[in-house]
Each structure stands twice: as C-alpha cells, then as structure tokens.
Amino acid sequence: MYKFRTSCRACGYAAPTAPSGIKAAPSSEKLIPVFSLGVQPLANDFRQDGEEYSGYAPLEVLFCPRCTLAQLSVVVRPDILYRNYAYVTSPSQMMLDHFQKLAYDLADEMGHGIKDTQIVEIGSNDGRLLNMLRAEGAREVLGIDPAQNLAKIAREHDVPTLAEPFTRDLARSLSEHKPEPDIILARHVFCHVDDWQDFVAGLEVLAGKDTLIALEVPYVVDLLDRCEFDTIYHEHLSYLSIRAMVSLLSKTNLVLHHVIRYAIHGGAILLIIRRRDAAEPPHDSVGQFLDAEKITAETWQTVGANASGKITALKRIVMDATQTGKRVCGYGASAKSTVWINACGFSKKQIEFICDSTVQKLYRKTPGTDVPILPEDQAFVQCSDYAIMFAWNYEREILDKQKSFTNGGGKFIIPHPNVRIVP
Ligand code: TYD
C-alpha cells in the first residue's frame, strides 16, 4: 500500500551515494523525524457501508536540514489515493473569488493578459478553473488529472481532459502533437507528487521559451505559524519552503521568477517559474521570501506540542457538551475533518454526523470511524447545539450561510487558528 521515502525529494539529502547499477550503501545522512500522528486512515477514503477501506499508513513528517523541505516518511500508492477521488474543487464563493484573483495575477504576469492563450492545467479536477479561464478569453485549454471520475465530469462540461498523471513521458507525447502552451498551471498538486525530478523534467519538456509555469502550493510557513497540523495527511507528501523549491530547480533549466502569497486554504503561494534562458532577473519577492524564511527542525517540533494542545482543547469542549446532553455535528467533511476526528478518537457518540455539500461524500463514513456524512441541509444542522467547523478555511462564508443556525442559539466550534466557540 505504501513505500518508505528516506531521502529528500528536493535536494537529494540522505540519498544513497553510489553509481547506478551498483548496490548502494545507505547514506550516513538522515532526515530528521519532526512530527507524527502515528498510523492513520487515508483522509479522503470516504466509504459506504460494506465497502472495503484502503487501509492505514504511518503519518510522520521528516525534515531535511539541508534545504528545509519537510516530507512524509511514506508514499501511499497514487492509484489507491486517487483512483476514485472524492475531493472536488469547492464551488464556494471564496474559491470563485480566488480563481478571479489567480486569473488576474496570471494575466498581469503574462503582460498581455490571457486572451487567446493556450493553457494546460495539471491536476485539473472537475475542470472548473479551466472553464473560467476559457470564459476569460483563453483560446484552448487542456486538463490533466488521474482521477477518472473527475475527468469525466470535466469532459461533460466540455473541458478536454486526459485522465492520467503528469509525467515526463506524457509531456513528451503532448509536445509532439501540440504547440508549447502559454501557461502551465498546477494548483495544489505539486506537493502530492513523489517524483519531483520526473515532474520537473516534464515541465522542462512541455515549456517553451515564453511559457509561464504557475504552481500554487500550500505555504509551509503558514502551516508552522498557525499549527495547521490537520493539513498533514497522506496526499500531502511535501510541505514546501521557497528554499527547497530553489534547491530543486537549481539543477534544471527552470528558475523561480516570482512568488505571490494567497490566503486560500489556510495560506498558499503561487510560484511563477520560467525557463532560465528566457527569464528576466527574478522579481524581488523571491529574495524577500528567502530572507524571511527561518525554518529549522525545532520550528517543526513545536507543531507537535501545539497540535496536542489543540486536540486536548477540542476533546474537552466536545466531551463537556455531550456529557450535558448537547448534540454535536461537524460542518464540512474535509480531509482535515478526518485528521481531527481520528486524532481526537471521536465516534458517532460524540459527533453524530458531518454535513457536506459534496455529493461524492454523502452517506459515506469518515475514514477510520463510524461518523456519517449527510447533506448540508439546514434541518440537519439545526438539530445540533454545536457544529465543529472542519472547513475552517471557509469560515466567513459558512458563518454567513448558517446565520439561522447561530441566530437560533447554535454555536460553531472553530478549530483554527486556535480552538474557539462562535458566537
Ligand atoms: P476543503 O477545505 O476544500 O478541503 P480539504 O479536503 O483539502 O481539507 O474541504 C471543504 C469541505 O467542506 C468540502 O468537502 C466541501 C465542504 N463545504 C460545505 O459542505 N459547505 C460549504 O459551505 C463549504 C464552503 C464547504
């Protein structure tokens, strides 16, 4: 189900040193274990009764002291994680606003807007972003996503999509048949990839001299600053620093050109990458981010202590509520909800259900527990006294939408950045 990964995927630290073909001696270097949640179920492995779960795997973070990349100690087989993927890009207003901002930043970076451009999106999910970029004037779009179920939805919305993982081989076959894209976009997919050498080689093959590559990834500094430990799960293989990215690209024909910070998903960065032979000098932001980044193994080790404090705080509130006869539900069956519920050891006795708007998750159970997912229906939420907001990255939007719940005396328990009760 999984394999161990003991060398840094960005800079190669702790990789065995031997010419290929010769049995390698283990390296004397070692990545440093900095955080562990023990053995956990796969966060998006929502199943119906009677269906088999994919299983459990260790959830442990290792830190590279050379380039500051943090990565999981194991890689779960991608075909197990993504074959029938329940994560669908949220149609929420916050996400649509973010897409608008992204389109604006891409247009700005291109210099002449995105009208008439050809765009390839890696990890295109249900095609929502490509559809929007086409409406903004992109001439031709192509999605690439290994999840068959999502590629099908995208095609139904007229977004041509290849249901395959992005690899150097795929890039080669695309470049034989198509002109170089103007923009290659990958949102929240790079840190799901194990073999960065192959992925970056694919980008090098596909990118022309003027192609703009835009990778949106969660920013590790936000995770560390706000102890977002619930974003650590098996799909997120890496927790990326700018320093690690620069280190990875140093051996390639690509260079980090510009970094833009976003608030989405608890804090993300857009990494604008260009071909080394085409790039103007990097934007000031690259040096500024590098100067500000001070990540050490100790920084990571504080996440463990702070996470334990948050877990204890949530358990106490939920136990106090249920012991006094109050009813508690969850709001948003995010991957984060699976991490929280398993870390706290909750069952349906404490959390009766989680409501969610994603049809793919409905009437299934939270992985590792018996907590069911029910529709995001007012009537369901309103029978609870407390709703734990597991989709805390949409806090404002959910509070606005659920005013009748809070006006009727219902309270949200929001676990981010610190566990608190609202109102
Ligand atoms: P999300 O935070 O996007 O991702 P992750 O799984 O990476 O943690 O998940 C949010 C979940 O919350 C998603 O399943 C959709 C759901 N949701 C609602 O049910 N209602 C809402 O109003 C919003 C904003 C999200």
Side-chain angles (χ1 to χ4, degrees):
M1 177 190 178
Y2 60 83
K3 63 176 184 190
F4 288 99
R5 165 104 209 192
T6 52
S7 62
C8 175
R9 66 169 57 83
C11 75
Y13 185 81
T17 45
S20 65
I22 296 177
K23 191 172 185 307
S27 167
S28 58
E29 301 168 337
K30 290 261 178 300
L31 297 177
I32 306 168
V34 286
F35 178 77
S36 175
L37 278 175
V39 173
Q40 292 290 334
L42 308 183
N44 275 308
D45 196 22
F46 297 94
R47 299 282 162 178
Q48 280 166 342
D49 280 340
E51 271 185 325
E52 217 174 280
Y53 284 91
S54 300
Y56 285 68
L59 197 51
E60 182 186 35
V61 178
L62 306 177
F63 180 75
C64 172
R66 185 158 72 194
C67 76
T68 76
L69 182 74
Q71 60 185 42
L72 294 189
S73 63
V74 300
V75 178
V76 175
R77 269 177 34 209
D79 60 312
I80 294 178
L81 280 176
Y82 301 116
R83 193 176 17 216
N84 209 4
Y85 197 41
Y87 180 85
V88 181
T89 305
S90 168
S92 75
Q93 192 53 46
M94 265 176 80
M95 191 54 80
L96 298 180
D97 292 348
H98 174 64
F99 284 178
Q100 285 294 346
K101 168 92 179 81
L102 183 63
Y104 174 86
D105 286 337
L106 291 174
D108 194 41
E109 195 67 34
M110 291 291 287
H112 50 77
I114 56 167
K115 283 230 159 27
D116 252 1
T117 51
Q118 198 213 335
I119 303 180
V120 171
E121 188 186 7
I122 302 165
S124 48
N125 202 269
D126 62 358
R128 195 178 295 272
L129 175 58
L130 283 178
N131 231 334
M132 195 209 90
L133 293 171
R134 196 164 45 190
E136 298 271 320
R139 174 172 36 92
E140 200 183 328
V141 297
L142 175 68
I144 301 172
D145 199 302
Q148 306 276 353
N149 57 327
L150 297 177
K152 185 166 171 277
I153 299 175
R155 287 189 209 112
E156 282 161 11
H157 291 99
D158 224 14
V159 175
T161 304
L162 300 172
E164 287 179 56
F166 179 73
T167 58
R168 182 191 339 213
D169 287 346
L170 180 67
R172 275 204 196 107
S173 72
L174 282 176
S175 64
E176 275 164 22
H177 300 107
K178 280 192 175 292
E180 291 151 353
D182 300 293
I183 300 175
I184 303 171
L185 190 57
R187 290 193 61 252
H188 297 268
V189 61
F190 188 62
C191 292
H192 294 231
V193 173
D194 179 25
D195 189 348
W196 278 354
Q197 270 63 36
D198 186 73
F199 190 94
V200 173
L203 293 176
E204 286 182 283
V205 169
L206 199 57
K209 199 155 180 258
D210 297 318
T211 300
L212 185 149
I213 301 168
L215 307 185
E216 188 184 310
V217 296
Y219 190 29
V220 70
V221 168
D222 292 310
L223 184 161
L224 294 168
D225 283 352
R226 293 180 224 133
C227 186
E228 293 167 353
F229 77 93
D230 52 354
T231 60
I232 298 174
Y233 46 89
H234 297 104
E235 288 156 36
H236 293 167
L237 297 175
S238 301
Y239 303 88
L240 188 64
S241 62
I242 308 282
R243 186 155 281 110
M245 193 66 196
V246 168
S247 176
L248 173 71
L249 294 181
S250 65
K251 292 155 216 134
T252 71
N253 179 27
L254 303 174
V255 65
L256 182 59
H257 184 68
H258 190 175
V259 182
I260 301 172
R261 205 161 181 173
Y262 296 133
I264 197 84
H265 286 316
I269 40 177
L270 187 68
L271 302 168
I272 305 276
I273 295 165
R274 290 180 178 275
R275 259 193 20 197
R276 209 172 280 279
D277 54 349
E280 301 151 22
H283 188 267
D284 292 346
S285 54
V286 176
Q288 287 161 359
F289 271 89
L290 282 172
D291 287 345
E293 254 181 19
K294 309 254 181 289
I295 308 170
T296 62
E298 288 71 35
T299 330
W300 262 100
Q301 275 148 357
T302 59
V303 172
N306 294 340
S308 302
K310 285 185 170 191
I311 290 165
T312 307
L314 184 64
K315 276 162 86 170
R316 187 162 303 140
I317 292 175
V318 171
M319 293 304 177
D320 286 352
T322 48
Q323 276 163 14
T324 52
K326 300 277 195 290
R327 299 177 68 179
V328 181
C329 74
Y331 202 103
S334 56
K336 298 181 281 287
S337 73
T338 306
V339 178
W340 270 108
I341 291 175
N342 282 280
C344 292
F346 290 143
S347 70
K348 153 168 117 169
K349 280 197 196 117
Q350 287 85 34
I351 300 184
E352 292 182 42
F353 60 88
I354 306 183
C355 62
D356 198 283
S357 56
T358 317
V359 276
Q360 285 84 344
K361 296 181 186 174
L362 294 186
Y363 307 108
R364 291 165 184 259
K365 300 270 166 67
T366 296
T369 77
D370 56 357
V371 179
I373 319 300
L374 298 181
E376 186 191 30
D377 187 299
Q378 301 286 340
F380 282 122
V381 186
Q382 279 173 5
C383 66
S384 303
D385 300 290
Y386 291 97
I388 309 175
M389 197 187 287
F390 290 121
W392 48 254
N393 40 329
Y394 298 103
E395 175 180 332
R396 181 77 358 246
E397 187 161 341
I398 294 173
L399 288 178
D400 282 349
K401 186 156 57 168
Q402 291 298 336
K403 279 210 174 87
S404 58
F405 170 62
T406 45
N407 287 344
K411 292 186 188 302
F412 277 105
I413 304 169
I414 306 179
H416 178 269
N418 292 306
V419 181
R420 63 210 151 94
I421 298 176
V422 173

